[in-house]
Amino acid sequence: MSDLIISRDPTGVSIELNRPRAINSLSGRMLAAIGTEVAGARRVDLTGAGPKGFCAGADIRELRTLALSDPEQAGEWLDVEYTIDLAIARVGTGTAHLHGISMGGGLGLSLRLSRVEARQDLVLAMPEVGIGLWPDVGATFELSRAPRLAGRHLAMTGCSIDAASALWAGLVDVVVDENGRQLDVDPQASALARSAHWIEACYDSADPVAVVEALRRRPEPQARSTADLIATRSPLSVAVALEAVRRAEHAGSLEEVLDTDRRLGRSFMRRSDFCEGVRAQLVDKDHHPRWRHAGLADVTRAEVENMFG
């Protein structure tokens, strides 16, 4: 298919996502084709076409359309995505070449390969809380293992980070130039590492309301602006995101985390802010989503637990 450029050799398969106008967003057809290509492969290499980025994530317009008409089928769509993420993780060997916008479903395909390269222009995020989802594709497995509770911060805010920060967080292995040459990057000097002191202090709680209150009390302007950012996200999604990362901190495997994501995926397709979030951001583009809850304090513990099935 034209949205993928495939090349094979005796040891594996190279896949270029080739939908640059959509920043290589992953349609259902693309995911199914990738699943076919990686079956039985011993190596998988991944790249994305175009200057804007490796992959903006799953095609959430397509998923929203499906969720509006048939939530159960939308849950199955996500099941297929997670199955492919796991299949690539089980191959393990290969290189992901990340550049520019690298988010969501694109990270699900790439994070578990043996070498994850990031160019200097990397803009990495799991931004799902901004559209009424949670950081899925098993990403809470990696986020939960980032140092100093940085993964909780990235999950609850959906904020993007640069290449040096991604290196510090353990989400990429190396930073390279456009020719693939490794660059000397100090992860300890990254923006995320420099914020780690207040992140660790504020996110050490199981209660998302307490996290935001701690952020508002901090002297650092960036911490207080983070509280303001979280207030714009789906309250249900933010609460589930924190719980998902906390559960992933104790998970023994990626498979366990993806099993949790399968349950969450079906819950979110049935009852969540997802369709409204995509409407506001990508359909009507008014950027004023009408979330189901007025704020985090209105999301009950029972509601969060029910999303996990």
Side-chain angles (χ1 to χ4, degrees):
M1 60 186 298
S2 61
D3 289 345
L4 296 172
I5 298 174
I6 309 294
S7 59
R8 304 176 189 82
D9 62 37
T11 64
V13 59
S14 295
I15 301 172
E16 181 176 25
L17 310 179
N18 188 39
R19 199 183 175 195
R21 289 186 179 181
I23 319 180
N24 301 315
S25 295
L26 299 162
S27 67
R29 288 180 65 238
M30 289 171 70
L31 287 167
I34 291 169
T36 299
E37 294 297 335
V38 302
R42 289 184 287 160
R43 189 199 78 248
V44 176
D45 295 325
L46 296 172
T47 58
K52 292 183 179 180
F54 165 70
C55 179
D59 188 334
I60 55 174
R61 290 175 184 264
E62 178 182 311
L63 184 58
R64 177 182 185 266
T65 298
L66 198 56
L68 287 169
S69 62
D70 189 340
E72 297 308 311
Q73 191 175 353
E76 292 171 7
W77 194 103
L78 290 172
D79 273 353
V80 169
E81 182 179 17
Y82 305 155
T83 296
I84 294 160
D85 294 334
L86 183 56
I88 293 177
R90 285 175 171 166
V91 173
T93 301
T95 302
H97 303 271
L98 307 185
H99 75 283
I101 293 171
S102 301
M103 299 182 179
L107 299 181
L109 297 179
S110 58
L111 285 183
R112 294 107 204 180
L113 289 172
S114 54
R115 182 176 173 88
V116 182
E117 295 184 353
R119 291 222 305 254
Q120 286 177 295
D121 65 349
L122 182 72
V123 180
L124 183 149
M126 291 297 297
E128 286 77 9
V129 292
I131 56 165
L133 285 178
W134 83 105
D136 65 337
V137 297
T140 55
F141 184 79
E142 285 81 17
L143 292 176
S144 69
R145 284 147 178 80
R148 304 187 68 177
L149 303 182
R152 296 186 182 189
H153 167 69
L154 297 176
M156 290 179 67
T157 62
C159 66
S160 59
I161 56 175
D162 60 14
S165 294
L167 185 64
W168 179 80
L171 300 174
V172 304
D173 298 312
V174 64
V175 181
V176 300
D177 64 17
E178 292 186 357
N179 297 311
R181 292 186 295 247
Q182 183 171 343
L183 298 172
D184 185 13
V185 173
D186 179 8
Q188 297 299 328
S190 68
L192 191 59
R194 295 197 306 272
S195 299
H197 62 288
W198 60 260
I199 288 173
E200 188 171 33
C202 293
Y203 287 86
D204 189 17
S205 174
D207 180 0
V209 174
V211 169
V212 173
E213 289 175 349
L215 288 166
R216 293 202 184 281
R217 290 194 300 267
R218 291 293 300 188
E220 299 88 354
Q222 189 179 0
R224 298 195 298 274
S225 67
T226 295
D228 293 337
L229 175 63
I230 291 174
T232 70
R233 307 315 200 190
S234 159
L236 177 62
S237 293
V238 169
V240 170
L242 175 58
E243 180 65 15
V245 176
R246 291 183 64 251
R247 293 190 183 201
E249 289 168 2
H250 303 286
S253 66
L254 173 64
E255 289 90 337
E256 185 178 338
V257 173
L258 284 168
D259 283 344
T260 299
D261 282 350
R262 293 180 198 279
R263 296 194 299 274
L264 284 171
R266 293 186 180 276
S267 295
F268 269 87
M269 293 303 100
R270 294 177 188 133
R271 57 184 187 279
S272 72
D273 288 316
F274 169 59
C275 290
E276 170 62 12
V278 178
R279 179 207 64 77
Q281 297 298 325
L282 294 177
V283 179
D284 297 337
K285 299 182 180 179
D286 59 30
H287 303 290
H288 290 291
R290 296 181 288 273
W291 303 128
R292 293 178 177 224
H293 301 82
L296 270 174
D298 297 312
V299 181
T300 68
R301 179 66 187 174
E303 286 179 290
V304 173
E305 291 179 349
N306 285 342
M307 295 300 286
F308 286 82

